[in-house]
Coordinates of all heavy atoms in Angstrom, one line a residue:
Chain A
D65 N -12.9 3.1 15.4 CA -12.6 2.5 14.1 C -11.1 2.7 13.7 O -10.6 2.2 12.7 CB -13.5 3.1 12.9 CG -14.9 2.6 13.0 OD1 -15.2 1.5 13.4 OD2 -15.8 3.5 12.6
R115 N 9.9 5.6 10.3 CA 9.5 4.9 9.0 C 10.0 3.5 9.0 O 9.5 2.6 8.3 CB 9.8 5.7 7.8 CG 11.3 5.8 7.5 CD 11.4 6.5 6.2 NE 11.0 5.7 5.0 CZ 10.7 6.2 3.8 NH1 10.7 7.4 3.6 NH2 10.3 5.4 2.9
R122 N 2.2 6.6 2.5 CA 1.5 5.8 1.6 C 0.8 4.6 2.4 O -0.1 4.0 1.9 CB 2.4 5.2 0.5 CG 3.3 4.1 0.9 CD 4.4 3.8 -0.1 NE 4.1 3.3 -1.3 CZ 4.0 2.0 -1.6 NH1 4.1 1.1 -0.7 NH2 3.7 1.6 -2.9
D123 N 1.3 4.3 3.6 CA 0.7 3.2 4.4 C -0.4 3.6 5.3 O -1.1 2.8 5.8 CB 1.8 2.6 5.3 CG 3.0 2.0 4.5 OD1 2.7 1.3 3.5 OD2 4.1 2.5 4.6
F138 N -12.4 15.5 -7.0 CA -12.3 14.0 -7.2 C -11.9 13.3 -5.9 O -11.2 13.9 -5.1 CB -11.5 13.7 -8.4 CG -10.0 14.0 -8.3 CD1 -9.1 13.0 -7.9 CD2 -9.5 15.3 -8.7 CE1 -7.7 13.3 -7.8 CE2 -8.1 15.5 -8.6 CZ -7.2 14.5 -8.2
H139 N -12.3 12.1 -5.7 CA -12.1 11.3 -4.6 C -11.5 10.0 -4.9 O -11.7 9.5 -6.1 CB -13.4 11.0 -3.8 CG -14.4 12.2 -3.7 ND1 -15.1 12.5 -4.8 CD2 -14.6 12.9 -2.7 CE1 -15.9 13.6 -4.5 NE2 -15.6 13.8 -3.1
K146 N -9.7 -1.2 4.6 CA -9.3 -2.2 3.6 C -10.3 -1.9 2.5 O -11.5 -1.9 2.7 CB -9.5 -3.6 4.2 CG -8.8 -4.6 3.5 CD -8.8 -5.9 4.3 CE -8.4 -7.0 3.6 NZ -8.8 -8.3 4.3
N147 N -9.8 -1.6 1.3 CA -10.7 -1.2 0.2 C -9.9 -1.3 -1.1 O -8.9 -0.6 -1.2 CB -11.1 0.3 0.5 CG -12.1 0.8 -0.5 OD1 -12.6 0.1 -1.4 ND2 -12.5 2.1 -0.3
V148 N -10.4 -2.0 -2.1 CA -9.6 -2.1 -3.4 C -10.5 -1.6 -4.5 O -10.2 -2.0 -5.7 CB -9.1 -3.5 -3.6 CG1 -8.0 -3.9 -2.6 CG2 -10.1 -4.6 -3.7
Y151 N -9.0 2.8 -8.8 CA -7.5 3.0 -8.8 C -7.2 3.7 -7.6 O -7.9 4.5 -7.0 CB -7.1 3.8 -10.0 CG -7.3 3.1 -11.3 CD1 -8.0 3.7 -12.4 CD2 -6.9 1.8 -11.5 CE1 -8.2 3.0 -13.6 CE2 -7.1 1.1 -12.7 CZ -7.7 1.7 -13.7 OH -8.0 1.1 -14.9
T163 N 1.0 18.7 -8.0 CA 0.9 18.9 -9.4 C -0.2 18.2 -10.1 O -0.5 18.5 -11.3 CB 2.2 18.4 -10.0 OG1 2.3 17.0 -9.6 CG2 3.4 19.1 -9.6
R175 N -2.8 4.5 14.5 CA -2.2 3.5 15.3 C -2.3 3.9 16.8 O -2.4 5.1 17.1 CB -0.7 3.2 15.0 CG -0.6 2.5 13.7 CD -0.5 1.0 13.9 NE -0.7 0.2 12.7 CZ -0.6 -1.0 12.7 NH1 -0.4 -1.8 13.7 NH2 -0.8 -1.7 11.5
P176 N -2.4 3.0 17.7 CA -2.4 3.4 19.2 C -1.0 4.0 19.5 O 0.0 3.6 19.0 CB -2.6 2.1 19.9 CG -2.4 0.9 19.0 CD -2.5 1.5 17.6
D195 N 29.0 -0.1 10.2 CA 28.3 -0.9 9.1 C 28.1 -2.3 9.6 O 27.1 -2.9 9.3 CB 29.2 -0.8 7.8 CG 28.4 -1.3 6.6 OD1 27.1 -1.2 6.7 OD2 29.0 -1.7 5.7
T202 N 20.3 -6.7 11.4 CA 19.3 -7.3 10.4 C 18.6 -8.5 11.1 O 17.4 -8.7 10.8 CB 20.0 -7.7 9.1 OG1 20.8 -6.6 8.7 CG2 19.0 -8.1 8.1
L203 N 19.3 -9.2 12.0 CA 18.7 -10.3 12.6 C 18.6 -10.1 14.1 O 18.7 -11.1 14.9 CB 19.5 -11.6 12.2 CG 19.3 -12.1 10.8 CD1 20.2 -13.3 10.5 CD2 17.8 -12.5 10.5
S204 N 18.5 -8.9 14.5 CA 18.4 -8.6 16.0 C 17.2 -9.4 16.5 O 16.2 -9.6 15.9 CB 18.1 -7.1 16.2 OG 17.8 -6.9 17.5
R207 N 12.9 -5.7 17.9 CA 12.3 -5.2 16.6 C 12.4 -3.6 16.7 O 11.3 -3.0 17.0 CB 10.9 -5.7 16.6 CG 10.8 -7.2 16.4 CD 11.3 -7.7 15.1 NE 11.1 -9.2 14.9 CZ 11.9 -10.1 15.4 NH1 13.0 -9.8 16.0 NH2 11.6 -11.4 15.2
N298 N 18.2 8.4 -1.6 CA 17.6 7.1 -1.2 C 18.4 6.0 -1.9 O 18.6 6.1 -3.1 CB 16.2 7.1 -1.7 CG 16.0 7.2 -3.2 OD1 16.6 8.1 -3.8 ND2 15.2 6.3 -3.8
S302 N 22.3 -1.4 2.6 CA 23.7 -1.9 2.8 C 24.7 -1.0 2.1 O 25.9 -1.1 2.3 CB 23.7 -3.2 2.1 OG 23.4 -3.1 0.7
G323 N 18.1 2.2 8.2 CA 17.4 1.0 7.9 C 16.6 1.1 6.6 O 16.2 0.0 6.0
N324 N 16.3 2.3 6.2 CA 15.5 2.5 5.0 C 16.4 3.0 3.8 O 15.9 3.3 2.8 CB 14.4 3.5 5.1 CG 13.3 3.0 6.2 OD1 13.6 3.3 7.4 ND2 12.3 2.3 5.8
S356 N 21.2 1.6 -6.6 CA 19.8 1.5 -7.0 C 19.0 2.6 -6.5 O 17.7 2.4 -6.5 CB 19.3 0.2 -6.4 OG 20.0 -0.9 -6.9
N391 N -2.5 14.3 -18.7 CA -3.9 13.8 -18.7 C -4.7 14.5 -17.7 O -5.9 14.8 -17.9 CB -4.0 12.3 -18.6 CG -3.6 11.6 -19.9 OD1 -3.2 12.3 -20.9 ND2 -3.7 10.3 -19.9
Chain B
R114 N 19.8 -8.3 4.0 CA 20.2 -7.0 4.6 C 19.4 -5.9 4.1 O 19.0 -4.9 4.9 CB 21.7 -6.8 4.3 CG 22.2 -5.4 4.6 CD 22.6 -5.2 6.0 NE 23.0 -3.8 6.3 CZ 24.2 -3.3 6.3 NH1 25.2 -4.0 6.0 NH2 24.3 -2.0 6.6
D115 N 19.0 -5.9 2.8 CA 18.3 -4.8 2.3 C 16.7 -5.1 2.2 O 16.0 -4.3 1.7 CB 18.8 -4.5 0.8 CG 20.2 -3.9 0.9 OD1 20.4 -3.1 1.8 OD2 21.0 -4.2 0.0
Y138 N 13.1 -14.0 7.9 CA 12.2 -13.1 7.2 C 11.1 -13.8 6.4 O 11.3 -15.0 6.2 CB 13.0 -12.1 6.2 CG 13.7 -11.1 6.9 CD1 14.8 -11.3 7.6 CD2 13.2 -9.7 6.9 CE1 15.6 -10.3 8.3 CE2 13.9 -8.7 7.6 CZ 15.0 -9.0 8.3 OH 15.7 -8.0 8.9
K167 N -2.6 -6.5 10.8 CA -1.4 -5.9 11.4 C -0.4 -5.4 10.3 O 0.3 -4.4 10.5 CB -0.8 -6.8 12.4 CG 0.5 -6.3 13.1 CD 0.9 -7.2 14.2 CE 2.2 -6.7 14.8 NZ 2.6 -7.6 15.9
V172 N 0.0 -3.9 -1.4 CA 0.7 -2.6 -1.8 C 1.6 -2.2 -0.8 O 2.6 -1.5 -1.1 CB -0.4 -1.6 -2.2 CG1 -1.1 -1.0 -0.9 CG2 0.2 -0.4 -2.9
N173 N 1.4 -2.5 0.5 CA 2.3 -2.0 1.6 C 3.6 -2.9 1.5 O 4.5 -2.5 2.3 CB 1.7 -2.2 2.9 CG 0.3 -1.5 3.0 OD1 -0.7 -2.1 3.1 ND2 0.3 -0.2 2.9
T194 N 14.8 0.1 -3.8 CA 14.9 1.2 -2.9 C 13.6 2.0 -2.6 O 12.6 1.8 -3.5 CB 15.9 2.2 -3.3 OG1 15.7 2.6 -4.6 CG2 17.3 1.6 -3.2
E195 N 13.5 2.7 -1.5 CA 12.2 3.4 -1.2 C 12.3 4.8 -1.7 O 13.4 5.4 -1.9 CB 12.0 3.4 0.3 CG 11.9 2.0 0.9 CD 11.8 2.1 2.5 OE1 11.5 3.2 3.0 OE2 12.0 1.0 3.0
D196 N 11.1 5.5 -1.8 CA 11.1 6.9 -2.1 C 11.8 7.4 -3.3 O 12.6 8.4 -3.3 CB 11.7 7.7 -0.9 CG 10.7 7.8 0.2 OD1 9.6 7.2 0.2 OD2 10.9 8.6 1.2
N197 N 11.7 6.7 -4.4 CA 12.3 7.2 -5.6 C 11.6 8.4 -6.1 O 10.4 8.5 -6.0 CB 12.3 6.1 -6.7 CG 13.4 5.1 -6.4 OD1 14.6 5.3 -6.6 ND2 13.0 3.9 -6.0
Y200 N 6.2 10.4 -9.1 CA 5.0 9.8 -8.6 C 5.2 8.4 -8.2 O 6.1 7.7 -8.7 CB 3.9 9.9 -9.6 CG 3.6 11.3 -10.1 CD1 3.5 11.6 -11.5 CD2 3.4 12.4 -9.3 CE1 3.2 12.9 -12.0 CE2 3.1 13.7 -9.8 CZ 3.0 13.9 -11.1 OH 2.8 15.1 -11.6
D201 N 4.4 7.9 -7.2 CA 4.5 6.5 -6.7 C 3.8 5.6 -7.7 O 2.7 5.1 -7.4 CB 3.8 6.5 -5.3 CG 3.9 5.1 -4.7 OD1 4.5 4.2 -5.3 OD2 3.3 4.9 -3.6
T212 N -5.2 -3.6 -15.9 CA -5.6 -2.6 -16.9 C -4.4 -1.6 -17.2 O -4.6 -0.8 -18.0 CB -6.8 -1.8 -16.4 OG1 -6.5 -1.1 -15.2 CG2 -8.0 -2.7 -16.1
R225 N 10.5 -9.1 8.9 CA 11.1 -9.9 10.0 C 10.0 -10.7 10.6 O 8.9 -10.3 10.9 CB 11.6 -8.9 11.1 CG 12.5 -9.5 12.1 CD 13.9 -9.7 11.6 NE 14.7 -10.1 12.8 CZ 15.0 -11.4 13.1 NH1 14.4 -12.3 12.3 NH2 15.8 -11.7 14.1
D226 N 10.4 -12.0 10.8 CA 9.4 -13.0 11.4 C 9.1 -12.5 12.9 O 9.9 -12.1 13.6 CB 10.1 -14.4 11.5 CG 10.3 -15.0 10.2 OD1 9.6 -14.6 9.2 OD2 11.1 -16.0 10.1
G254 N -6.9 -0.3 21.8 CA -5.6 0.0 21.2 C -4.7 -1.2 21.0 O -3.5 -1.1 20.8
R356 N -15.2 -0.8 11.3 CA -15.3 -2.0 12.2 C -16.5 -1.8 13.2 O -17.0 -2.8 13.6 CB -14.0 -2.1 13.0 CG -12.9 -2.0 12.1 CD -11.6 -2.1 12.9 NE -10.7 -0.9 12.7 CZ -9.5 -0.9 12.3 NH1 -8.9 -2.0 12.1 NH2 -8.8 0.2 12.1
T357 N -16.7 -0.6 13.6 CA -17.8 -0.5 14.7 C -19.2 -0.7 14.1 O -20.2 -0.8 14.8 CB -17.9 1.1 15.2 OG1 -17.7 1.9 14.1 CG2 -16.6 1.2 16.1
N387 N -14.0 -6.4 7.1 CA -14.1 -7.0 5.8 C -15.0 -8.2 5.8 O -14.5 -9.4 6.2 CB -12.8 -7.3 5.2 CG -12.7 -7.7 3.8 OD1 -11.7 -8.1 3.2 ND2 -13.8 -7.7 3.1
S422 N -17.3 -0.1 1.7 CA -16.9 -0.3 0.2 C -17.5 -1.7 -0.2 O -17.8 -2.5 0.6 CB -15.4 -0.3 0.1 OG -15.0 -0.7 -1.2
T424 N -15.7 -3.8 -2.0 CA -14.7 -4.8 -2.1 C -13.5 -4.5 -1.2 O -13.0 -3.4 -1.3 CB -14.3 -5.1 -3.5 OG1 -13.2 -6.1 -3.5 CG2 -13.9 -3.8 -4.3
E426 N -10.8 -6.9 -0.8 CA -9.6 -7.6 -1.3 C -9.8 -8.4 -2.6 O -8.9 -8.8 -3.1 CB -9.1 -8.5 -0.2 CG -10.1 -9.4 0.4 CD -9.7 -10.3 1.6 OE1 -8.6 -9.9 2.1 OE2 -10.4 -11.2 1.9
D445 N -15.0 11.5 -10.4 CA -14.0 10.6 -10.0 C -13.6 9.6 -11.0 O -12.4 9.3 -11.3 CB -14.5 9.7 -8.8 CG -14.9 10.6 -7.6 OD1 -14.5 11.7 -7.5 OD2 -15.7 10.0 -6.7
K451 N -8.7 8.8 -17.0 CA -7.6 9.5 -17.6 C -6.2 9.0 -17.2 O -5.3 9.0 -17.9 CB -7.6 11.0 -17.3 CG -8.7 11.8 -18.1 CD -8.8 13.3 -17.8 CE -9.6 14.0 -18.8 NZ -9.9 15.3 -18.4

Side-chain angles (χ1 to χ4, degrees):
Chain A
D65 288 326
R115 68 176 290 159
R122 80 197 289 272
D123 302 305
F138 65 94
H139 317 78
K146 206 169 165 193
N147 186 1
V148 296
Y151 296 128
T163 56
R175 287 272 165 177
D195 198 22
T202 309
L203 288 174
S204 169
R207 297 293 184 271
N298 64 309
S302 61
N324 300 86
S356 303
N391 282 6
Chain B
R114 169 83 189 264
D115 294 323
Y138 283 76
K167 178 170 176 180
V172 72
N173 305 113
T194 51
E195 301 177 14
D196 279 10
N197 284 289
Y200 304 131
D201 179 5
T212 61
R225 190 81 171 91
D226 291 342
R356 309 176 242 235
T357 47
N387 186 189
S422 173
T424 175
E426 55 185 13
D445 300 341
K451 285 184 173 171

